[in-house]
């Protein structure tokens, strides 16, 4: 079965063609240049850029996959959560295609897409799993007892992990998006240089809070600057990253142990973080738990994860009405 997947929930216009387990094309038109001078994604600009890019992205996706439009058997599209204007562009394009090609439309939750990206190319992998979903907009631990079904165990009560990475990076004068920059810089720093706070939120909570950490890092930098003291930004980056990773690893492992699950999936843009991957894999292995992380290209927003999630839903006989409206706050469970 050949599915075209469209993802426009934030700042990437992403279109992919997936045939069963094979990603035949996976194109991403990034908007970094448009948003970088604002230090974050400007919703109105994101919608306009999607409009500009979407038709070309769809045409190129079939060219790269060496198929014709008529070979497409279903259209999958992100219907939320995300920026409403940005989602609307993808959903409108998907509906038109589904109508013209007379094929089913499948609305996909963006977060389900992130989790499903771990199953691409992994026939050996099956639910139940525990997923840590960490991106620019989300930080969540969910249990997936079977494909398409989720129980949310905990989530952030303030900032998302990616958002915190981006803000601290900006404060350190690093370009946007800051996550990969902090990741790189931190490799040259000492993770024990500064002991920043770890918000555990109580012994039995799976929730996260990142705003206190963010404030602590910014205050620490300002105090050094006011005192005219030198500091190594690499040490700050490494110490901040370590505080984020400590909490995420501890909570995700506890979730897996409490629920008796033997597989952890790391999903979302922040799952590309090398320290998170390393620590989670090492500490899970000590407990006999497997950690699955999609390749970096499938971690950040992409169309293949949406097509893959759509394929699963289609296989279960599901499809979505052409009347569907995107939902900026669509819940995973
Ligand atoms: O999943 P994603 O592409 O978009 C959203 O759905 O939000 O995630 C983007 C986020 C950005 O905040 C970016 O800074 C972060 O993922 N990110 C990283 C890394 N690569 C991307 N954060 C930490 N380390 C990385 N290597
Ligand atoms: Zn995402």
């Amino acid at each position: 079965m050949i599915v075209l997947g469209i993802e426009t929930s934030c700042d990437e216009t992403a279109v992919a063609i997936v045939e069963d387990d094979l990603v035949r094309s996976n194109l991403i038109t990034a908007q970094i240049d448009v948003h970088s001078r604002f230090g974050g994604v400007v919703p109105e600009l994101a919608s306009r850029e999607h409009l500009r890019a979407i038709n070309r992205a769809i045409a190129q996706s079939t060219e790269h996959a060496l198929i014709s439009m008529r070979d497409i058997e279903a259209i999958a599209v992100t219907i939320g959560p995300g920026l409403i204007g940005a989602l609307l562009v993808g959903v409108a394009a998907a509906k038109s295609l589904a109508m013209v090609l007379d094929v089913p439309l499948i609305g996909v939750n963006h977060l389900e897409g992130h989790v499903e990206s771990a199953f691409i190319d992994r026939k050996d992998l099956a639910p139940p799993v525990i997923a840590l979903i960490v991106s620019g907009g989300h930080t969540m631990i969910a249990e997936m007892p079977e494909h398409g079904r989720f129980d949310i165990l905990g989530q952030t009560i303030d900032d998302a992990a990616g958002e915190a990475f981006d803000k601290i990076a900006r404060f350190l004068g690093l370009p946007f998006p800051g996550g990969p920059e902090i990741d790189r810089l931190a490799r040259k720093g000492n993770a024990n240089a500064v002991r920043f706070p770890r918000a555990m939120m109580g012994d039995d909570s799976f929730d996260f809070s990142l705003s206190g950490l963010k404030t602590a890092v910014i205050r620490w930098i300002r105090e050094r600057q006011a005192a005219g003291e030198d500091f190594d930004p690499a040490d700050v980056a490494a110490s901040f990253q370590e505080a984020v990773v400590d909490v995420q690893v501890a909570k995700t492992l506890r979730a897996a142990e409490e629920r008796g699950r033997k597989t952890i999936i790391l999903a979302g843009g922040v799952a590309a973080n090398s320290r998170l991957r390393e620590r989670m894999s090492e500490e899970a292995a000590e407990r006999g738990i497997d950690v699955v992380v999609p390749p970096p290209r499938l971690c950040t927003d992409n169309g293949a994860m949406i097509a893959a999630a759509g394929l699963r839903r289609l296989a279960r006989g599901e499809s979505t009405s052409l009347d569907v409206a995107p939902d900026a706050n669509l819940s995973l469970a």
Side-chain angles (χ1 to χ4, degrees):
M1 186 116 200
I2 299 182
V3 176
L4 179 137
I6 300 179
E7 151 62 40
T8 64
S9 68
C10 192
D11 62 340
E12 328 267 8
T13 314
V15 183
I17 308 274
V18 175
E19 180 173 13
D20 303 321
D21 266 336
L22 182 72
V23 178
R24 295 192 58 152
S25 68
N26 190 21
L27 302 179
I28 296 163
T29 313
Q31 307 177 355
I32 289 173
D33 296 348
V34 180
H35 302 288
S36 60
R37 66 194 172 99
F38 299 102
V41 177
V42 183
E44 179 62 27
L45 294 181
S47 315
R48 280 192 232 171
E49 291 303 311
H50 285 311
L51 261 183
R52 241 178 238 156
I54 190 80
N55 285 344
R56 204 173 127 84
I58 291 167
Q60 283 183 337
S61 73
T62 54
E63 277 169 34
H64 278 239
L66 304 173
I67 61 164
S68 98
M69 281 289 186
R70 281 183 303 279
D71 297 324
I72 295 169
E73 295 169 271
I75 310 288
V77 63
T78 306
I79 53 169
L83 303 169
I84 193 66
L87 288 165
L88 270 167
V89 177
V91 170
K95 284 182 185 181
S96 321
L97 275 179
M99 214 180 296
V100 169
L101 299 173
D102 195 22
V103 296
L105 175 75
I106 310 140
V108 172
N109 184 303
H110 180 79
L111 302 178
E112 179 177 350
H114 272 306
V115 176
E116 284 296 339
S117 69
F119 291 85
I120 295 176
D121 242 2
R122 287 291 305 259
K123 280 210 173 69
D124 54 317
L125 191 64
V129 299
I130 293 288
L132 173 68
I133 309 169
V134 271
S135 72
H138 301 272
T139 297
M140 179 187 286
I141 298 178
E143 181 172 31
M144 185 172 85
E146 58 191 62
H147 284 290
R149 212 156 66 72
F150 293 90
D151 289 321
I152 298 171
L153 304 182
Q155 52 193 318
T156 181
I157 60 159
D158 40 55
D159 294 348
E163 202 180 342
F165 269 94
D166 293 341
K167 281 184 186 157
I168 296 303
R170 198 175 167 192
F171 214 78
L172 290 173
L174 302 169
F176 173 83
E181 302 287 335
I182 297 232
D183 193 346
R184 247 190 308 275
L185 184 61
R187 279 175 219 154
K188 292 184 251 160
N190 172 7
N192 300 314
V194 192
R195 176 79 191 172
F196 290 123
R198 275 88 168 138
M200 286 298 175
M201 316 286 293
D203 287 346
D204 53 359
S205 170
F206 292 116
D207 285 338
F208 298 90
S209 168
L210 284 134
S211 74
L213 169 62
K214 182 189 68 192
T215 313
V217 177
I218 292 175
R219 195 186 308 128
W220 188 92
I221 296 173
R222 285 207 174 115
E223 282 168 6
R224 293 299 161 293
Q225 287 169 336
E229 283 174 36
D230 266 355
F231 63 88
D232 185 351
D235 285 346
V236 179
S239 300
F240 157 75
Q241 178 175 273
E242 204 66 12
V244 176
V245 169
D246 262 355
V247 178
Q248 291 185 349
V249 169
K251 287 188 182 247
T252 310
L253 289 179
R254 183 161 54 79
E257 287 187 317
E258 273 184 24
R259 311 293 286 209
R261 302 309 189 198
K262 289 288 173 206
T263 308
I264 289 172
I265 285 175
L266 296 188
V270 182
N273 185 268
S274 56
R275 187 68 180 148
L276 176 62
R277 288 169 173 242
E278 179 183 80
R279 289 271 314 273
M280 192 76 85
S281 303
E282 280 173 14
E283 291 174 38
E286 288 165 9
R287 293 165 173 80
I289 296 170
D290 279 338
V291 176
V292 180
V293 199
R297 216 181 140 64
L298 293 176
C299 276
T300 46
D301 290 349
N302 65 87
M305 69 186 198
I306 303 303
L311 262 161
R312 296 255 181 225
R313 292 201 167 265
L314 209 61
R316 290 197 298 273
E318 296 177 29
S319 67
T320 305
S321 156
L322 285 176
D323 294 332
V324 69
D327 178 352
N329 301 311
L330 187 66
S331 171
L332 186 59

